[in-house]
Amino acid sequence: MNILISGGSGFLGSAFSKEITQRYQSMNKDLQITWLTRDSRQAHPDNIDLMTYNELATSDKTFDVILNLAGAGIADKRWSDDRKEALLASRIKPTESLLAYIASTGHKPKLLISGSAIGWYGTQGDKPLTESSGFETDFAHKLCDEWEKLAVRATTYGVPVAIVRTGVVMHPDGGMLGKLLTPFKMGVGGQLGNGKQVMSWISREDWVGATMFIMEQYLANQTNNQQSMLSGDNTLKTDNNTPVTIYNLTAPNPVTNHTFTKTLGSYLHRPTFFTLPEALLKLMFGEMSTLLIDGQKVLPQALLDAGYEFKQPTLRQALEEQKV
């Protein structure tokens, strides 16, 4: 199995690479992972190959699966016009490079797994959202939608596409939880706004597990000419019938910001008396404050229907088992 990963050194790509390497070694299966990078001097594990985007453009190397995760963090900086353009470009340009490679290679990948986010659904409060739900138009939706539509073009070349719409990923090594641990451990953590906004989250372990599950089930279904994961409410129609499937990578038990705050504080044995008012959040973060104030109740219906069993379905389990 040869896997190419854009964004391989990141918070999700590195964890996926480590876990699937250990899994395949334990099963005595051949595996080679290549990280796509702009810097050939990038630090990487000895068992990982590096390939630059320029090298990819002329490479005759073939890959069974491509995992497209490249993209700047949407919550890392305030959303100025320049930042919005940078967020889009950081997703579009790597995806365009992958599409150019797919178009040129004679041995097409068996699957493209392309990243996205639950921001695709836009702000819809506490309305339950599954893969068949519609969207509300805002910047997060437009960003995700352009990224997804570009990735779907891989079907033009007969390559199936799985879109993974990721929620808030929980792990102490990074992401939102990594940023919050210090203030919470200092006893100055607290809820945001009224705390009623719903947060759709997933542990990093389950993100990795779900992504591997999608990949392995997809390939197995192709080999056995089965359609169980290639049809349903999470499947998009394409002109040549090459399948596109959508998966929400969220835990089955979303929580309100109030519940998240109290659960993390209780786990760390720290008080959570503070509240950041909505008006202050809007002043501090501008348009980006919607990520903190406006909730989304996104459910992993497609994963559950396909038979994926969450290792950490509750927030408390995720905190305990990931040794936060």
Side-chain angles (χ1 to χ4, degrees):
M1 171 82 74
N2 288 330
I3 302 177
L4 176 67
I5 307 178
S6 67
S9 63
F11 177 55
L12 297 178
S14 59
F16 177 88
S17 299
K18 181 179 180 180
E19 181 64 25
I20 196 170
T21 296
Q22 292 175 347
R23 178 182 176 91
Y24 274 53
Q25 284 178 345
S26 68
M27 300 168 66
N28 292 318
K29 287 186 175 182
D30 291 333
L31 176 71
Q32 183 56 57
I33 296 175
T34 301
W35 286 354
L36 195 55
T37 179
R38 300 196 181 282
D39 183 3
S40 60
R41 298 166 298 178
Q42 182 183 66
H44 61 285
D46 292 339
N47 61 336
I48 301 287
D49 287 343
L50 290 186
M51 177 181 288
T52 66
Y53 283 88
N54 288 337
E55 290 170 340
L56 179 68
T58 58
S59 177
D60 59 0
K61 188 172 181 178
T62 61
F63 300 97
D64 299 295
V65 174
I66 296 177
L67 183 54
N68 181 25
L69 301 176
I74 192 171
D76 288 353
K77 296 181 181 179
R78 191 183 180 100
W79 290 351
S80 64
D81 289 342
D82 287 345
R83 180 59 179 173
K84 287 182 178 180
E85 291 180 7
L87 288 170
L88 183 60
S90 70
R91 288 157 172 77
I92 296 301
K93 290 182 179 179
T95 306
E96 288 177 336
S97 296
L98 291 173
L99 287 174
Y101 164 78
I102 289 171
S104 66
T105 184
H107 183 80
K108 307 299 184 189
K110 298 174 183 176
L111 177 65
L112 168 64
I113 302 177
S114 196
S116 185
I118 60 172
W120 184 90
Y121 298 101
T123 300
Q124 301 196 50
D126 59 0
K127 175 184 177 181
L129 302 170
T130 67
E131 289 83 357
S132 61
S133 298
F135 60 86
E136 293 292 331
T137 301
D138 56 16
F139 170 67
H141 167 75
K142 292 177 182 177
L143 177 67
C144 295
D145 197 50
E146 287 198 43
W147 194 15
E148 289 186 15
K149 285 178 177 177
L150 184 60
V152 167
R153 291 185 191 175
T155 61
T156 303
Y157 309 105
V159 176
V161 177
I163 301 290
V164 290
R165 293 175 180 162
T166 299
V168 178
V169 181
M170 294 289 181
H171 194 277
D173 285 352
M176 186 188 81
L177 183 58
K179 294 177 181 178
L180 289 178
L181 279 179
T182 296
F184 268 78
K185 286 180 177 179
M186 293 175 64
V188 294
Q191 75 179 33
L192 305 177
N194 62 22
K196 294 180 180 179
Q197 65 273 37
V198 180
M199 183 173 69
S200 298
W201 63 277
I202 186 171
S203 72
R204 190 170 70 170
E205 183 175 340
D206 269 317
W207 187 95
V208 170
T211 301
M212 286 199 297
F213 174 84
I214 291 167
M215 181 190 77
E216 292 173 348
Q217 292 294 309
Y218 215 113
L219 298 180
N221 285 338
Q222 284 182 324
T223 300
N224 298 325
N225 293 317
Q226 297 176 356
Q227 297 295 315
S228 59
M229 289 187 72
L230 310 182
S231 62
D233 291 341
N234 65 320
T235 303
L236 306 181
K237 292 183 178 179
T238 58
D239 292 339
N240 62 0
N241 293 321
T242 301
V244 175
T245 48
I246 309 294
Y247 295 92
N248 293 334
L249 266 58
T250 57
N253 297 292
V255 296
T256 63
N257 178 260
H258 175 79
T259 298
F260 168 79
T261 300
K262 294 304 179 183
T263 301
L264 181 56
S266 172
Y267 175 76
L268 295 173
H269 304 292
R270 294 292 186 275
T272 52
F273 300 133
F274 293 90
T275 296
L276 281 176
E278 182 175 322
L280 179 59
L281 290 168
K282 289 181 177 179
L283 182 64
M284 292 170 61
F285 300 106
E287 184 182 358
M288 194 183 78
S289 64
T290 185
L291 299 177
L292 307 174
I293 297 170
D294 301 314
Q296 289 178 303
K297 189 176 184 179
V298 181
L299 304 173
Q301 194 61 54
L303 276 176
L304 295 173
D305 289 347
Y308 179 72
E309 296 183 5
F310 281 83
K311 301 176 182 68
Q312 296 155 359
T314 70
L315 181 60
R316 185 78 187 197
Q317 279 180 285
L319 297 175
E320 291 174 351
E321 295 181 19
Q322 295 187 124
K323 296 180 173 59
V324 173

